[in-house]
């Protein structure tokens, strides 16, 4: 035997089903069906018949058909209004009579923050900029925008002056003219020999430290960047070099980009400029970083792997194979907030991919890591996973290219 409450629910279900059974076709049966659903008489009659058939007693009080007001919501309006009134009263008492110091502390913090926002320097002087940057980025490493000393600031200004001369924005200083005038023959010779002027803009007469700077630059020039610097000045116009610079900067701070090269060359302006111009030449003329690798990305490689022919198809297939196997990937950050690049060495086999596809994949990974940098973090972390490493995975060619990239073309990029 079922519990009486369960029996009542089963009878209600049977009665509802009997009221909803089809009565025929046409408009009249449908109207009759609607009237049966609205009136409680067929419901009670059917329920009493079922109870008598099962030998149960008829309930003393007639069951009422559930009205529409019970089907609309299951929340008691009185209880809802009472709960809302109690909540409003508690909130009023908490805001009017604070019982803890946390409210006053939050208000003082908000007041200090509003005062700090009002202290943003309206005049962009060096002193105001330095002070404001110290407040906004207290964890910035030395030698970055906002943490420069007076000598470093002067070196940065000299670097910008030499860079603008290379870009053709600022005219180089004239040599040998004490009164600032020159003869017409001298002016004509300078116009005809514009490239020589660009070559000699860093070798000014009367500079006692020119020889020492040249010697220091030759010591740091183990990747032949002086030759690339001269090739860049000879083959590229100032407009092309200027466009290459802004393509290289991307979302980096322009000062921070120049400071990378200055720190890499121990604040030697001449050596830093040679390094930066040779890097722009390498990006625009050799690797085509900004106009091919990063613009086309893996989408172009995916299409070329299916539709291209010859060497392009092979390079595209090798590039996609390295992406699919996860030879190197970016994931997470270290404890200092630097993006992490993981290299699984066991997945590399010498000769499986072409040298050009390896270099393209390496540059693509480095440039992708650059997109994840957020100030004051300006370096990344590389983790070499040596699990299951063997001599079959040893290949010095990609390692040599990676070292050259970080030393010559991506200075001060590793944490």
């Amino acid at each position: 035997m079922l519990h009486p409450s369960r029996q009542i629910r089963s009878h209600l279900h049977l009665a509802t089903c009997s009221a909803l059974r089809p009565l025929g076709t046409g408009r009249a049966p449908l109207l009759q069906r609607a009237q049966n659903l609205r009136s409680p008489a067929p419901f009670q009659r059917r329920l009493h018949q079922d109870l008598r058939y099962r030998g149960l007693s008829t309930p003393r009080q007639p069951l009422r058909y559930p009205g529409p007001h019970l089907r609309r919501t299951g929340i008691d309006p009185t209880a809802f209004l009472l709960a809302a009134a109690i909540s409003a009263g508690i909130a009023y008492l908490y805001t009017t009579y604070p019982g803890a110091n946390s409210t006053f502390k939050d208000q003082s913090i908000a007041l200090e923050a509003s005062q700090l926002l009002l202290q943003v320097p309206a005049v962009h002087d060096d002193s105001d900029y330095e002070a404001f940057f110290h407040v906004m980025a207290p964890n910035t490493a030395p030698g970055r925008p906002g943490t420069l000393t007076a000598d470093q600031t002067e070196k940065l200004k000299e670097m910008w002056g030499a860079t603008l001369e290379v870009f053709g924005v600022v005219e180089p200083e004239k040599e040998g003219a004490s009164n600032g005038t020159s003869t017409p023959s001298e002016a004509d010779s300078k116009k005809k020999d514009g490239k020589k002027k660009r070559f000699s803009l860093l070798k000014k007469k009367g500079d006692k430290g020119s020889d020492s700077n040249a010697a220091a630059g030759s010591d740091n020039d183990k990747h032949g960047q002086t030759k690339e610097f001269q090739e860049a000045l000879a083959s590229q116009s100032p407009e092309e070099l200027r466009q290459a610079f802004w393509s290289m900067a991307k979302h980096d701070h322009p000062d921070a980009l120049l400071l990378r090269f200055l720190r890499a060359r121990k604040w030697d302006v001449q050596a830093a400029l040679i390094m930066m111009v040779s890097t722009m030449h390498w990006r625009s003329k050799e690797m085509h970083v900004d106009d091919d690798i990063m613009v086309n990305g893996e989408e172009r490689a995916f299409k070329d792997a299916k539709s291209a022919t010859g060497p392009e198809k092979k390079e595209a297939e090798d590039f996609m194979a390295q992406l699919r196997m996860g030879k190197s990937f970016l994931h997470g950050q270290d404890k200092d907030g630097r993006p992490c690049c993981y290299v699984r060495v066991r997945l590399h086999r010498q000769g499986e991919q072409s040298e050009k596809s390896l270099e393209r994949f390496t540059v693509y990974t480095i440039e992708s890591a650059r997109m994840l940098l957020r100030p004051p973090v300006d370096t990344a972390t590389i983790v070499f996973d040596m699990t299951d490493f063997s001599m079959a995975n040893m290949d010095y060619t990609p390692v040599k290219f990676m070292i050259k990239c970080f030393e010559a073309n991506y200075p001060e990029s590793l944490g």
Side-chain angles (χ1 to χ4, degrees):
M1 294 293 293
L2 297 174
H3 193 271
S5 61
R6 294 187 178 181
Q7 292 179 359
I8 294 296
R9 284 199 296 269
S10 63
H11 297 325
L12 291 173
H13 177 69
L14 292 174
T16 305
C17 294
S18 63
L20 293 175
R21 67 179 184 272
L23 299 177
T25 59
R27 182 175 181 182
L30 291 177
L31 294 175
Q32 182 181 359
R33 178 181 175 183
Q35 293 176 359
N36 292 338
L37 287 176
R38 293 177 182 175
S39 61
F43 171 79
Q44 295 180 359
R45 191 183 308 111
R46 181 62 179 172
L47 180 59
H48 292 317
Q49 291 177 0
D50 291 339
L51 291 177
R52 292 193 193 95
Y53 178 76
R54 296 178 180 272
L56 300 176
S57 61
T58 305
R60 296 178 181 179
Q61 296 181 356
L63 297 176
R64 296 182 179 179
Y65 185 75
H69 63 281
L70 296 179
R71 297 194 303 270
R72 290 178 184 174
T73 178
I75 301 176
D76 189 3
T78 305
F80 178 79
L81 294 176
L82 182 61
I86 293 174
S87 301
I90 293 174
Y92 174 78
L93 293 176
Y94 181 78
T95 55
T96 307
Y97 306 100
N101 294 329
S102 60
T103 305
F104 295 108
K105 188 182 297 183
D106 296 340
Q107 293 176 357
S108 63
I109 292 174
L111 181 60
E112 291 178 1
S114 61
Q115 293 176 353
L116 179 62
L117 291 176
L118 293 176
Q119 294 175 0
V120 175
V123 181
H124 299 283
D125 329 351
D126 293 339
S127 59
D128 293 340
Y129 175 75
E130 297 285 337
F132 181 69
F133 201 95
H134 273 297
V135 174
M136 297 302 293
N139 298 325
T140 305
R144 272 75 173 177
T147 59
L148 298 178
T149 63
D151 295 337
Q152 292 172 352
T153 303
E154 290 299 324
K155 291 292 184 181
L156 180 59
K157 291 180 180 179
E158 293 178 13
M159 182 70 175
W160 269 117
T163 303
L164 294 178
E165 288 181 12
V166 173
F167 294 165
V169 179
V170 178
E171 297 253 342
E173 295 180 4
K174 296 182 180 181
E175 302 173 0
S178 59
N179 56 356
T181 60
S182 59
T183 60
S185 60
E186 291 177 354
D188 295 338
S189 62
K190 287 182 180 180
K191 288 181 181 178
K192 293 179 181 179
D193 200 8
K195 289 185 179 179
K196 281 188 177 179
K197 184 190 294 183
R198 297 178 67 198
F199 278 118
S200 61
L201 61 93
L202 296 175
K203 300 178 181 178
K204 298 179 181 179
K205 294 180 180 180
D207 189 2
K208 297 180 180 179
S210 60
D211 297 335
S212 61
N213 291 340
S218 62
D219 294 339
N220 295 328
D221 189 20
K222 62 179 180 180
H223 298 290
Q225 291 187 320
T226 303
K227 183 179 179 180
E228 293 182 358
F229 171 75
Q230 295 174 356
E231 292 179 356
L233 295 183
S235 61
Q236 294 182 266
S237 63
E239 291 77 11
E240 292 176 350
L241 291 174
R242 186 166 62 249
Q243 181 63 33
F245 173 81
W246 292 114
S247 298
M248 177 177 62
K250 290 187 172 63
H251 64 285
D252 288 349
H253 196 293
D255 288 346
L257 183 61
L258 267 64
L259 288 171
R260 286 181 185 272
F261 295 97
L262 284 172
R263 294 196 305 270
R265 290 297 175 256
K266 308 299 181 184
W267 302 95
D268 184 357
V269 177
Q270 178 177 350
L273 182 63
I274 292 174
M275 185 181 188
M276 187 181 69
V277 174
S278 62
T279 298
M280 293 188 297
H281 180 74
W282 174 81
R283 293 174 64 95
S284 59
K285 297 300 180 182
E286 295 183 19
M287 289 302 300
H288 298 278
V289 178
D290 302 304
D291 57 352
D292 181 21
I293 295 179
M294 299 308 296
V295 170
N296 297 323
E298 66 271 19
E299 181 182 2
R300 179 66 176 273
F302 178 77
K303 293 179 180 179
D304 290 346
K306 290 187 174 182
S307 59
T309 57
E312 295 181 358
K313 181 179 179 63
K314 179 66 168 60
E315 292 174 5
E317 291 175 349
D318 293 345
F319 183 84
M320 292 303 299
Q322 295 177 89
L323 277 177
R324 291 188 175 107
M325 74 173 64
K327 182 183 291 186
S328 64
F329 57 91
L330 300 167
H331 178 73
Q333 299 175 347
D334 62 2
K335 62 180 181 180
D336 294 327
R338 295 176 296 218
C340 295
C341 176
Y342 296 89
V343 181
R344 297 191 287 182
V345 185
R346 69 178 182 275
L347 299 179
H348 177 73
R349 293 290 188 275
Q350 186 176 4
E352 285 188 352
Q353 287 89 26
S354 63
E355 183 177 351
K356 188 174 181 180
S357 66
L358 288 171
E359 294 178 356
R360 186 183 181 91
F361 180 73
T362 302
V363 173
Y364 178 80
T365 306
I366 296 174
E367 287 290 325
S368 299
R370 284 188 63 199
M371 299 296 182
L372 301 178
L373 298 177
R374 295 292 181 271
V377 177
D378 59 353
T379 56
T381 301
I382 298 181
V383 180
F384 288 91
D385 185 3
M386 306 299 289
T387 306
D388 300 332
F389 173 78
S390 63
M391 293 304 297
N393 308 121
M394 185 61 190
D395 190 4
Y396 187 65
T397 302
V399 176
K400 184 179 178 181
F401 177 77
M402 190 181 301
I403 294 173
K404 190 255 182 183
C405 282
F406 285 111
E407 286 186 351
N409 303 312
Y410 294 97
E412 300 292 318
S413 296
L414 294 180

PDB file of all heavy atoms in Angstrom, residues 282-304:
ATOM      1  N   TRP A 282      68.394  43.438 -40.150  1.00  0.00           N
ATOM      2  CA  TRP A 282      68.173  41.988 -40.077  1.00  0.00           C
ATOM      3  C   TRP A 282      66.680  41.652 -40.090  1.00  0.00           C
ATOM      4  O   TRP A 282      66.258  40.696 -40.749  1.00  0.00           O
ATOM      5  CB  TRP A 282      68.824  41.452 -38.798  1.00  0.00           C
ATOM      6  CG  TRP A 282      68.557  40.016 -38.506  1.00  0.00           C
ATOM      7  CD1 TRP A 282      69.181  38.924 -39.047  1.00  0.00           C
ATOM      8  CD2 TRP A 282      67.580  39.500 -37.585  1.00  0.00           C
ATOM      9  NE1 TRP A 282      68.654  37.773 -38.516  1.00  0.00           N
ATOM     10  CE2 TRP A 282      67.670  38.092 -37.614  1.00  0.00           C
ATOM     11  CE3 TRP A 282      66.645  40.085 -36.736  1.00  0.00           C
ATOM     12  CZ2 TRP A 282      66.864  37.268 -36.839  1.00  0.00           C
ATOM     13  CZ3 TRP A 282      65.842  39.271 -35.956  1.00  0.00           C
ATOM     14  CH2 TRP A 282      65.951  37.882 -36.003  1.00  0.00           C
ATOM     15  N   ARG A 283      65.872  42.417 -39.385  1.00  0.00           N
ATOM     16  CA  ARG A 283      64.438  42.147 -39.319  1.00  0.00           C
ATOM     17  C   ARG A 283      63.751  42.423 -40.650  1.00  0.00           C
ATOM     18  O   ARG A 283      62.850  41.674 -41.051  1.00  0.00           O
ATOM     19  CB  ARG A 283      63.796  43.010 -38.224  1.00  0.00           C
ATOM     20  CG  ARG A 283      64.220  42.670 -36.821  1.00  0.00           C
ATOM     21  CD  ARG A 283      63.639  43.660 -35.827  1.00  0.00           C
ATOM     22  NE  ARG A 283      62.185  43.576 -35.808  1.00  0.00           N
ATOM     23  CZ  ARG A 283      61.480  42.849 -34.953  1.00  0.00           C
ATOM     24  NH1 ARG A 283      62.114  42.139 -34.033  1.00  0.00           N
ATOM     25  NH2 ARG A 283      60.165  42.830 -34.992  1.00  0.00           N
ATOM     26  N   SER A 284      64.153  43.492 -41.335  1.00  0.00           N
ATOM     27  CA  SER A 284      63.424  43.917 -42.532  1.00  0.00           C
ATOM     28  C   SER A 284      63.943  43.276 -43.817  1.00  0.00           C
ATOM     29  O   SER A 284      63.153  43.035 -44.743  1.00  0.00           O
ATOM     30  CB  SER A 284      63.485  45.441 -42.662  1.00  0.00           C
ATOM     31  OG  SER A 284      64.833  45.888 -42.754  1.00  0.00           O
ATOM     32  N   LYS A 285      65.233  42.977 -43.881  1.00  0.00           N
ATOM     33  CA  LYS A 285      65.820  42.492 -45.134  1.00  0.00           C
ATOM     34  C   LYS A 285      66.188  41.017 -45.110  1.00  0.00           C
ATOM     35  O   LYS A 285      66.182  40.360 -46.152  1.00  0.00           O
ATOM     36  CB  LYS A 285      67.059  43.322 -45.485  1.00  0.00           C
ATOM     37  CG  LYS A 285      66.761  44.788 -45.750  1.00  0.00           C
ATOM     38  CD  LYS A 285      65.794  44.952 -46.912  1.00  0.00           C
ATOM     39  CE  LYS A 285      65.494  46.417 -47.189  1.00  0.00           C
ATOM     40  NZ  LYS A 285      64.501  46.578 -48.302  1.00  0.00           N
ATOM     41  N   GLU A 286      66.502  40.466 -43.967  1.00  0.00           N
ATOM     42  CA  GLU A 286      66.923  39.067 -43.897  1.00  0.00           C
ATOM     43  C   GLU A 286      65.788  38.141 -43.452  1.00  0.00           C
ATOM     44  O   GLU A 286      65.433  37.200 -44.169  1.00  0.00           O
ATOM     45  CB  GLU A 286      68.128  38.934 -42.960  1.00  0.00           C
ATOM     46  CG  GLU A 286      69.377  39.630 -43.455  1.00  0.00           C
ATOM     47  CD  GLU A 286      70.563  39.404 -42.541  1.00  0.00           C
ATOM     48  OE1 GLU A 286      70.519  38.436 -41.731  1.00  0.00           O
ATOM     49  OE2 GLU A 286      71.538  40.186 -42.606  1.00  0.00           O
ATOM     50  N   MET A 287      65.239  38.401 -42.272  1.00  0.00           N
ATOM     51  CA  MET A 287      64.222  37.502 -41.728  1.00  0.00           C
ATOM     52  C   MET A 287      62.801  37.899 -42.111  1.00  0.00           C
ATOM     53  O   MET A 287      61.900  37.062 -42.073  1.00  0.00           O
ATOM     54  CB  MET A 287      64.329  37.446 -40.201  1.00  0.00           C
ATOM     55  CG  MET A 287      65.547  36.703 -39.690  1.00  0.00           C
ATOM     56  SD  MET A 287      65.658  34.998 -40.263  1.00  0.00           S
ATOM     57  CE  MET A 287      64.152  34.314 -39.619  1.00  0.00           C
ATOM     58  N   HIS A 288      62.588  39.149 -42.460  1.00  0.00           N
ATOM     59  CA  HIS A 288      61.233  39.648 -42.787  1.00  0.00           C
ATOM     60  C   HIS A 288      60.266  39.326 -41.631  1.00  0.00           C
ATOM     61  O   HIS A 288      59.223  38.701 -41.816  1.00  0.00           O
ATOM     62  CB  HIS A 288      60.734  39.046 -44.094  1.00  0.00           C
ATOM     63  CG  HIS A 288      61.588  39.420 -45.269  1.00  0.00           C
ATOM     64  ND1 HIS A 288      61.483  40.606 -45.950  1.00  0.00           N
ATOM     65  CD2 HIS A 288      62.603  38.724 -45.889  1.00  0.00           C
ATOM     66  CE1 HIS A 288      62.360  40.655 -46.930  1.00  0.00           C
ATOM     67  NE2 HIS A 288      63.063  39.532 -46.914  1.00  0.00           N
ATOM     68  N   VAL A 289      60.651  39.788 -40.452  1.00  0.00           N
ATOM     69  CA  VAL A 289      59.881  39.463 -39.257  1.00  0.00           C
ATOM     70  C   VAL A 289      58.501  40.109 -39.288  1.00  0.00           C
ATOM     71  O   VAL A 289      57.472  39.449 -39.058  1.00  0.00           O
ATOM     72  CB  VAL A 289      60.660  39.909 -37.995  1.00  0.00           C
ATOM     73  CG1 VAL A 289      59.843  39.632 -36.738  1.00  0.00           C
ATOM     74  CG2 VAL A 289      62.001  39.197 -37.923  1.00  0.00           C
ATOM     75  N   ASP A 290      58.467  41.406 -39.587  1.00  0.00           N
ATOM     76  CA  ASP A 290      57.215  42.153 -39.455  1.00  0.00           C
ATOM     77  C   ASP A 290      56.341  42.115 -40.701  1.00  0.00           C
ATOM     78  O   ASP A 290      55.134  42.345 -40.598  1.00  0.00           O
ATOM     79  CB  ASP A 290      57.524  43.615 -39.099  1.00  0.00           C
ATOM     80  CG  ASP A 290      58.321  43.726 -37.808  1.00  0.00           C
ATOM     81  OD1 ASP A 290      57.851  43.210 -36.781  1.00  0.00           O
ATOM     82  OD2 ASP A 290      59.430  44.297 -37.844  1.00  0.00           O
ATOM     83  N   ASP A 291      56.920  41.855 -41.862  1.00  0.00           N
ATOM     84  CA  ASP A 291      56.118  41.844 -43.086  1.00  0.00           C
ATOM     85  C   ASP A 291      55.832  40.434 -43.600  1.00  0.00           C
ATOM     86  O   ASP A 291      55.149  40.285 -44.611  1.00  0.00           O
ATOM     87  CB  ASP A 291      56.800  42.658 -44.186  1.00  0.00           C
ATOM     88  CG  ASP A 291      58.204  42.155 -44.494  1.00  0.00           C
ATOM     89  OD1 ASP A 291      58.696  41.290 -43.748  1.00  0.00           O
ATOM     90  OD2 ASP A 291      58.810  42.627 -45.470  1.00  0.00           O
ATOM     91  N   ASP A 292      56.303  39.390 -42.902  1.00  0.00           N
ATOM     92  CA  ASP A 292      56.024  38.029 -43.359  1.00  0.00           C
ATOM     93  C   ASP A 292      55.711  37.099 -42.187  1.00  0.00           C
ATOM     94  O   ASP A 292      54.614  36.554 -42.102  1.00  0.00           O
ATOM     95  CB  ASP A 292      57.212  37.486 -44.151  1.00  0.00           C
ATOM     96  CG  ASP A 292      56.968  36.078 -44.667  1.00  0.00           C
ATOM     97  OD1 ASP A 292      55.790  35.682 -44.760  1.00  0.00           O
ATOM     98  OD2 ASP A 292      57.944  35.363 -44.965  1.00  0.00           O
ATOM     99  N   ILE A 293      56.650  36.933 -41.270  1.00  0.00           N
ATOM    100  CA  ILE A 293      56.492  35.910 -40.232  1.00  0.00           C
ATOM    101  C   ILE A 293      55.317  36.221 -39.320  1.00  0.00           C
ATOM    102  O   ILE A 293      54.441  35.376 -39.102  1.00  0.00           O
ATOM    103  CB  ILE A 293      57.800  35.776 -39.422  1.00  0.00           C
ATOM    104  CG1 ILE A 293      58.929  35.257 -40.315  1.00  0.00           C
ATOM    105  CG2 ILE A 293      57.602  34.839 -38.238  1.00  0.00           C
ATOM    106  CD1 ILE A 293      60.260  35.120 -39.609  1.00  0.00           C
ATOM    107  N   MET A 294      55.262  37.443 -38.796  1.00  0.00           N
ATOM    108  CA  MET A 294      54.208  37.780 -37.840  1.00  0.00           C
ATOM    109  C   MET A 294      52.906  38.172 -38.520  1.00  0.00           C
ATOM    110  O   MET A 294      51.831  37.988 -37.952  1.00  0.00           O
ATOM    111  CB  MET A 294      54.675  38.909 -36.923  1.00  0.00           C
ATOM    112  CG  MET A 294      55.895  38.558 -36.088  1.00  0.00           C
ATOM    113  SD  MET A 294      55.704  37.012 -35.171  1.00  0.00           S
ATOM    114  CE  MET A 294      54.357  37.418 -34.071  1.00  0.00           C
ATOM    115  N   VAL A 295      52.987  38.708 -39.731  1.00  0.00           N
ATOM    116  CA  VAL A 295      51.750  39.084 -40.434  1.00  0.00           C
ATOM    117  C   VAL A 295      51.014  37.836 -40.920  1.00  0.00           C
ATOM    118  O   VAL A 295      49.796  37.694 -40.757  1.00  0.00           O
ATOM    119  CB  VAL A 295      52.068  40.039 -41.596  1.00  0.00           C
ATOM    120  CG1 VAL A 295      50.845  40.248 -42.469  1.00  0.00           C
ATOM    121  CG2 VAL A 295      52.561  41.365 -41.060  1.00  0.00           C
ATOM    122  N   ASN A 296      51.750  36.927 -41.526  1.00  0.00           N
ATOM    123  CA  ASN A 296      51.120  35.722 -42.072  1.00  0.00           C
ATOM    124  C   ASN A 296      50.907  34.651 -41.011  1.00  0.00           C
ATOM    125  O   ASN A 296      49.846  34.016 -40.963  1.00  0.00           O
ATOM    126  CB  ASN A 296      51.969  35.177 -43.213  1.00  0.00           C
ATOM    127  CG  ASN A 296      52.062  36.141 -44.378  1.00  0.00           C
ATOM    128  OD1 ASN A 296      51.093  36.828 -44.706  1.00  0.00           O
ATOM    129  ND2 ASN A 296      53.235  36.237 -44.999  1.00  0.00           N
ATOM    130  N   GLY A 297      51.925  34.432 -40.157  1.00  0.00           N
ATOM    131  CA  GLY A 297      51.755  33.498 -39.051  1.00  0.00           C
ATOM    132  C   GLY A 297      51.530  32.075 -39.496  1.00  0.00           C
ATOM    133  O   GLY A 297      51.942  31.633 -40.574  1.00  0.00           O
ATOM    134  N   GLU A 298      50.838  31.322 -38.654  1.00  0.00           N
ATOM    135  CA  GLU A 298      50.587  29.912 -38.956  1.00  0.00           C
ATOM    136  C   GLU A 298      49.493  29.720 -39.996  1.00  0.00           C
ATOM    137  O   GLU A 298      49.396  28.651 -40.602  1.00  0.00           O
ATOM    138  CB  GLU A 298      50.236  29.153 -37.670  1.00  0.00           C
ATOM    139  CG  GLU A 298      48.935  29.559 -37.008  1.00  0.00           C
ATOM    140  CD  GLU A 298      49.112  30.678 -36.021  1.00  0.00           C
ATOM    141  OE1 GLU A 298      50.133  31.375 -36.088  1.00  0.00           O
ATOM    142  OE2 GLU A 298      48.211  30.872 -35.194  1.00  0.00           O
ATOM    143  N   GLU A 299      48.670  30.748 -40.208  1.00  0.00           N
ATOM    144  CA  GLU A 299      47.617  30.615 -41.220  1.00  0.00           C
ATOM    145  C   GLU A 299      48.224  30.466 -42.615  1.00  0.00           C
ATOM    146  O   GLU A 299      47.791  29.603 -43.394  1.00  0.00           O
ATOM    147  CB  GLU A 299      46.699  31.828 -41.173  1.00  0.00           C
ATOM    148  CG  GLU A 299      45.556  31.749 -42.179  1.00  0.00           C
ATOM    149  CD  GLU A 299      44.686  32.993 -42.150  1.00  0.00           C
ATOM    150  OE1 GLU A 299      44.995  33.922 -41.391  1.00  0.00           O
ATOM    151  OE2 GLU A 299      43.685  33.017 -42.904  1.00  0.00           O
ATOM    152  N   ARG A 300      49.219  31.282 -42.914  1.00  0.00           N
ATOM    153  CA  ARG A 300      49.873  31.177 -44.214  1.00  0.00           C
ATOM    154  C   ARG A 300      50.593  29.841 -44.360  1.00  0.00           C
ATOM    155  O   ARG A 300      50.554  29.208 -45.426  1.00  0.00           O
ATOM    156  CB  ARG A 300      50.852  32.333 -44.373  1.00  0.00           C
ATOM    157  CG  ARG A 300      51.634  32.326 -45.690  1.00  0.00           C
ATOM    158  CD  ARG A 300      50.712  32.554 -46.883  1.00  0.00           C
ATOM    159  NE  ARG A 300      51.452  32.634 -48.121  1.00  0.00           N
ATOM    160  CZ  ARG A 300      51.983  33.763 -48.599  1.00  0.00           C
ATOM    161  NH1 ARG A 300      51.849  34.892 -47.898  1.00  0.00           N
ATOM    162  NH2 ARG A 300      52.616  33.781 -49.738  1.00  0.00           N
ATOM    163  N   ALA A 301      51.243  29.391 -43.288  1.00  0.00           N
ATOM    164  CA  ALA A 301      51.922  28.095 -43.339  1.00  0.00           C
ATOM    165  C   ALA A 301      50.920  26.964 -43.543  1.00  0.00           C
ATOM    166  O   ALA A 301      51.196  26.000 -44.282  1.00  0.00           O
ATOM    167  CB  ALA A 301      52.724  27.879 -42.062  1.00  0.00           C
ATOM    168  N   PHE A 302      49.768  27.057 -42.923  1.00  0.00           N
ATOM    169  CA  PHE A 302      48.744  26.015 -43.088  1.00  0.00           C
ATOM    170  C   PHE A 302      48.242  25.954 -44.525  1.00  0.00           C
ATOM    171  O   PHE A 302      48.050  24.862 -45.091  1.00  0.00           O
ATOM    172  CB  PHE A 302      47.589  26.298 -42.122  1.00  0.00           C
ATOM    173  CG  PHE A 302      46.448  25.328 -42.228  1.00  0.00           C
ATOM    174  CD1 PHE A 302      46.532  24.067 -41.680  1.00  0.00           C
ATOM    175  CD2 PHE A 302      45.275  25.685 -42.887  1.00  0.00           C
ATOM    176  CE1 PHE A 302      45.482  23.172 -41.778  1.00  0.00           C
ATOM    177  CE2 PHE A 302      44.224  24.816 -42.990  1.00  0.00           C
ATOM    178  CZ  PHE A 302      44.323  23.540 -42.440  1.00  0.00           C
ATOM    179  N   LYS A 303      48.038  27.119 -45.139  1.00  0.00           N
ATOM    180  CA  LYS A 303      47.571  27.136 -46.529  1.00  0.00           C
ATOM    181  C   LYS A 303      48.659  26.668 -47.491  1.00  0.00           C
ATOM    182  O   LYS A 303      48.378  25.925 -48.440  1.00  0.00           O
ATOM    183  CB  LYS A 303      47.106  28.541 -46.896  1.00  0.00           C
ATOM    184  CG  LYS A 303      45.860  28.987 -46.140  1.00  0.00           C
ATOM    185  CD  LYS A 303      45.456  30.400 -46.532  1.00  0.00           C
ATOM    186  CE  LYS A 303      44.208  30.847 -45.784  1.00  0.00           C
ATOM    187  NZ  LYS A 303      43.816  32.237 -46.135  1.00  0.00           N
ATOM    188  N   ASP A 304      49.918  27.118 -47.249  1.00  0.00           N
ATOM    189  CA  ASP A 304      51.006  26.700 -48.133  1.00  0.00           C
ATOM    190  C   ASP A 304      51.275  25.208 -48.023  1.00  0.00           C
ATOM    191  O   ASP A 304      51.684  24.572 -48.998  1.00  0.00           O
ATOM    192  CB  ASP A 304      52.281  27.484 -47.811  1.00  0.00           C
ATOM    193  CG  ASP A 304      52.180  28.942 -48.211  1.00  0.00           C
ATOM    194  OD1 ASP A 304      51.243  29.276 -48.971  1.00  0.00           O
ATOM    195  OD2 ASP A 304      53.013  29.752 -47.756  1.00  0.00           O
TER     196      ASP A 304
END
